[in-house]
Amino acid sequence: MKKTNVFVAALLCIVLTGFVACKKNESSSGSAQMSVHLTDGPADYDAVYLDIQQIGLTMSGSSEVMLTPYRPGVYNILNFRNGLDTLLARNSIPAGTVNQIRLILGSNNSIVVDGVSHSLNTPSAQESGVKLNLNQTFAANGSYDIWIDFDAAKSIVVTGGGNYKLKPVMRAYSSLTNGKIEGRVLPAAAFTTVYAVNGTDTAAAIPAAADGYFLISGLPTGTYQVLFTPGISLYSSVSMNVNVSYGTISNVGTITLTP
């Protein structure tokens, strides 16, 4: 994803239903419409609750723009898998380059494991926010979508005392840089995890139990090794190479794992 520097000369103060974006500047270069969504990578927990309070946009050439979600508060991120997401915020922002997104969490974060709820210790996230690089330019009068993809499996750390600590692993991508791989994996009894690997970058999905459907989003253009790894040793894994392009969905069809 290439970074393009655009002079930003205006910050707007606009109040829309549910949240505010407010900054000052001296002249105007137009605005773009931005929608921010939350989605999730796979994890073997009952629930992971994040207390999302604000979203900060660090813009090239201007001060940070702060967005307050439609519904500030607790979200169970495990509800948003395989292409599902929830809209956190939608508003006009100054046209220009968003270098970084800052997801600011409150103190009411928790995890449910085997039916038992545990608090998540998140001191750094509460103080300064979880920072995600984006480096995406948004043109005046354009309308764009951004996804914050939370990797629950990599973000939860179990301490020596049996406590749970949140060290968020997230990535941000936009509709302009969103390649996808989808398909189905059978049988459900194999408890398969699907990985898309390109160099040191790895994304993952857990297929739906009902029909085996999976969708991995936010992939840069390139060739990915897609691994279908069963959770039951009775079944054999499958690997294939898949070409991904921005703005398209690469469908691998139905993959059936055999004993």
Side-chain angles (χ1 to χ4, degrees):
M1 185 163 42
K2 296 181 178 179
K3 175 179 177 182
T4 305
N5 292 323
V6 175
F7 177 74
V8 180
L11 291 175
L12 305 178
C13 181
I14 298 176
V15 180
L16 292 180
T17 302
F19 67 102
V20 180
C22 183
K23 292 288 175 182
K24 296 180 180 179
N25 212 314
E26 296 179 353
S27 59
S28 175
S29 63
S31 62
Q33 186 79 6
M34 176 184 286
S35 299
V36 181
H37 307 260
L38 178 68
T39 188
D40 172 50
D44 189 21
Y45 301 114
D46 298 338
V48 177
Y49 295 106
L50 292 187
D51 183 5
I52 301 174
Q53 293 297 318
Q54 284 189 304
I55 303 163
L57 306 178
T58 302
M59 302 198 66
S60 179
S62 69
S63 56
E64 187 176 38
V65 175
M66 298 303 298
L67 308 179
T68 300
Y70 282 123
R71 184 181 63 79
V74 177
Y75 293 78
N76 179 9
I77 63 166
L78 298 190
N79 288 336
F80 313 118
R81 296 175 174 176
N82 289 324
L84 297 179
D85 60 48
T86 187
L87 180 65
L88 290 179
R90 176 183 287 132
N91 203 6
S92 293
I93 66 167
T97 299
V98 177
N99 295 325
Q100 199 172 67
I101 298 175
R102 199 160 59 97
L103 189 65
I104 302 170
L105 303 181
S107 60
N108 193 18
N109 304 288
S110 63
I111 183 172
V112 180
V113 182
D114 296 329
V116 180
S117 180
H118 306 267
S119 295
L120 278 174
N121 182 17
T122 57
S124 61
Q126 294 173 40
E127 293 173 5
S128 61
V130 181
K131 297 177 181 178
L132 313 168
N133 292 326
L134 184 64
N135 297 323
Q136 182 67 55
T137 299
F138 300 93
N141 302 316
S143 181
Y144 304 92
D145 290 274
I146 287 178
W147 285 266
I148 297 173
D149 187 355
F150 182 90
D151 191 330
K154 295 179 180 178
S155 297
I156 309 299
V157 177
V158 183
T159 67
N163 297 316
Y164 291 84
K165 187 172 184 179
L166 179 64
K167 290 188 174 180
V169 176
M170 302 186 185
R171 61 191 178 120
Y173 57 91
S174 77
S175 50
L176 300 181
T177 57
N178 186 8
K180 301 178 181 180
I181 298 174
E182 72 171 1
R184 299 183 189 277
V185 184
L186 299 174
F191 297 103
T192 305
T193 301
V194 184
Y195 300 95
V197 182
N198 185 343
T200 59
D201 295 330
T202 301
I206 294 178
D211 59 2
Y213 176 77
F214 73 90
L215 175 67
I216 301 175
S217 300
L219 301 176
T221 293
T223 300
Y224 288 78
Q225 182 184 19
V226 180
L227 304 172
F228 301 87
T229 305
I232 302 297
S233 59
L234 172 67
Y235 295 90
S236 299
S237 61
V238 173
S239 174
M240 64 175 61
N241 290 329
V242 178
N243 293 322
V244 173
S245 299
Y246 289 151
T248 64
I249 300 177
S250 299
N251 191 314
V252 300
T254 298
I255 306 299
T256 302
L257 304 188
T258 58

